Amino acid sequence: MLFAKKSKGFCVEIGEHSTLLARLSEPEAPFSVEELKELASTDTEGIVAWTKSTDGKGSTGYAHATCGVFSPKRIVRRHTVDLKRMKDPAYFNEVYSQQFRIEAEKYTIKALNPDNGGEYDLVKGTQKEVLFCGLPSDEVIAMQDKLLEQGIYPERLELSTLASLGGLVSYLKFKQSKTPILLLEIGQDSTQSFIVSADGVDISRPIPSGVAAMIPVVQKELGLKDEESAKKLFYSNTFDFTSMGGALVKKLLKELQSSIGFYEVQTGQSIGSVFCTQLPTSLTWLSTTMAGALGVAPLKVEIVPWLESLNIKLAEGVTLGQPEERWFGLFSLLASHQNAAPDEKK
């Protein structure tokens, strides 16, 4: 038996900058969140120390957890398929190599329905829109090994991007909101952008520009001698960059505006707000800057009422800290675990 009686539930989200950990009162829902912890993703010793010291690991000594990971090489792409070619065994590989520019044999890929996240029926193949999700197979193995080294046994390992998308759809339904949201995962070298509504994932687009592209702009604007100095200052949270925000996000903005424009013409709907996840705490102001540049508001998520609607409570004394949005991915993992059918939890 995996769980001894005293065992707790655990949930881990490994981002580019930080790792978020949660200890739960029970391994299965309904549960309360007893502890939240944030550590730098590079702080392996800190993660090991937390896992060793936390109670409720059961007889194996591992924290059995639902784990979400962000891989810079992840694929989460909505694509219109040619239904006439669905029976051709080579067709999907062609899509992967020509549209997504990846070597299919090196990836673990799943086809999902973009409206509800369920598995796409390849046999029937009646739906034109498919959400392709995957990451390099060797990364799956490397991540599992790394988690085990940190004292975490991954009961489930999933793409955090997918959990966040599912969480956002769930949240919009909870709020009874019809307005589409622009979800941005701004990484170091690239940005994954999605337009999400209560009906599912409407548009996905990877943009080959991220935080790293902003550093030369900081250097130029402030007249610093090298990029390393600019980088240190940018991440330090000691300088107010809001006045040069427009210049910093200019490149990203240009790419986004074409996606948004296309979407608005196609659907007749306008983006209601912007939601940025995955930014380190020192750069969360970028969310407001991005929203301002696009002429909309940043999405302010009311996490606690949404969680309570899913039978997830915060134990006494557990607080989220500001900005709450940073925890959205971790709680989306909890929500997906809470709502998974028994056969999906294996």
Side-chain angles (χ1 to χ4, degrees), residues 254-265:
K254 196 177 172 187
E255 297 277 358
L256 286 171
Q257 278 169 330
S258 61
S259 282
I260 294 167
F262 173 77
Y263 175 79
E264 291 181 345
V265 168

Side-chain angles (χ1 to χ4, degrees), residues 102-109 135-140:
I102 59 167
E103 296 173 70
E105 66 277 5
K106 291 184 178 175
Y107 269 69
T108 300
I109 300 179
L135 73 167
S137 305
D138 58 358
E139 278 195 24
V140 178

Side-chain angles (χ1 to χ4, degrees), residues 170-171 174-175 300-314 320 324 331:
S170 163
Y171 180 75
F174 166 70
K175 295 295 280 184
K300 285 288 168 218
V301 181
E302 294 172 42
I303 286 184
V304 175
W306 170 58
L307 289 178
E308 286 177 351
S309 77
L310 298 168
N311 286 328
I312 299 169
K313 289 185 167 59
L314 297 185
L320 297 179
E324 287 189 0
F331 285 126

